[in-house]
């Protein structure tokens, strides 16, 4: 860890939480409700992007207006909640958290009121200076504005921060505040896309922390 990068922000879904299979199952429930095709995990990793409405439109072959997205988002999250107890942390999540020598926090695009007790259930709350989720009724948008708010609440300049996440949206959010980003290939995004991004890429979370310390 360089003196400039003393704080680590963790992503949750697909990073610390190994929920790819559940996300794909819940996505397929939403697609089925609109008469759409089932997506495989590999297809989801390749095609998923934010705004999520654009991803849904591509996969369903139809325009997704705000009303349609609200309905699909509700169906997705109902299915996701039903299966959440089946999810475990990434294999080396706790070791990776323990390996970071500076302060840490967590920022997710999952709903804040559900995220906070879930993180507590996994025993991770004491490790984080702050845990923030989405404070909005409907999600699906970019992470950048929420990262800016997260760092403001922590009183941190982005230049002092590195983020570990599993998507190009995580990387874009980090760049928007002057932070660095390490991308993890074990999550919700296609590893090949991550490797062409120009950001450091790791196949395990402990490796990601090692790379983050060098940022």
């Amino acid at each position: 860890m360089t003196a400039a990068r003393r704080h680590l922000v963790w992503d949750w879904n697909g990073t610390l939480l190994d929920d790819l299979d559940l996300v794909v199952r819940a996505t397929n429930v939403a697609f089925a409700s609109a008469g759409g095709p089932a997506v495989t995990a590999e297809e989801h990793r390749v095609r998923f992007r934010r705004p999520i409405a654009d991803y849904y439109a591509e996969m369903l072959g139809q325009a997704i207006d705000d009303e349609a997205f609200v309905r699909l988002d509700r169906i997705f999250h109902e299915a996701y909640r039903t299966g959440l107890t089946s999810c475990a942390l990434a294999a080396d999540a706790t070791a990776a958290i323990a390996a970071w020598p500076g302060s840490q926090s967590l920022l997710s695009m999952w709903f804040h009121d559900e995220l906070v007790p879930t993180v507590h259930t996994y025993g991770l709350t004491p490790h984080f200076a702050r845990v923030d989720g989405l404070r909005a009724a409907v999600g699906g948008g970019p992470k950048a504005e929420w990262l800016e708010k997260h760092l403001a609440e922590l009183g941190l300049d982005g230049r002092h921060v590195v983020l570990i996440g599993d998507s190009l949206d995580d990387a874009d959010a980090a760049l928007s505040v002057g932070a660095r980003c390490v991308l993890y290939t074990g999550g919700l995004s296609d590893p090949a896309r991550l490797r062409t991004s120009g950001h450091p890429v790791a196949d395990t979370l402990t490796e990601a922390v090692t790379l983050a310390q060098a940022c």
Side-chain angles (χ1 to χ4, degrees), residues 116-125:
V116 171
T118 300
V119 172
H120 181 75
T121 297
Y122 286 97
L124 299 181
T125 305

Side-chain angles (χ1 to χ4, degrees), residues 1-7 100 157-162 178 215:
M1 178 180 66
T2 66
R5 309 285 174 177
R6 63 176 182 267
H7 183 83
W100 178 257
D157 187 309
R159 293 172 296 179
H160 301 155
V161 172
V162 60
C215 286

Side-chain angles (χ1 to χ4, degrees), residues 42 45 185-186 189-196 201 203:
E42 192 57 38
R45 295 180 96 198
T185 64
S189 297
D190 175 36
R193 290 175 61 196
L194 301 183
R195 294 188 193 283
T196 61
V201 176
D203 293 325

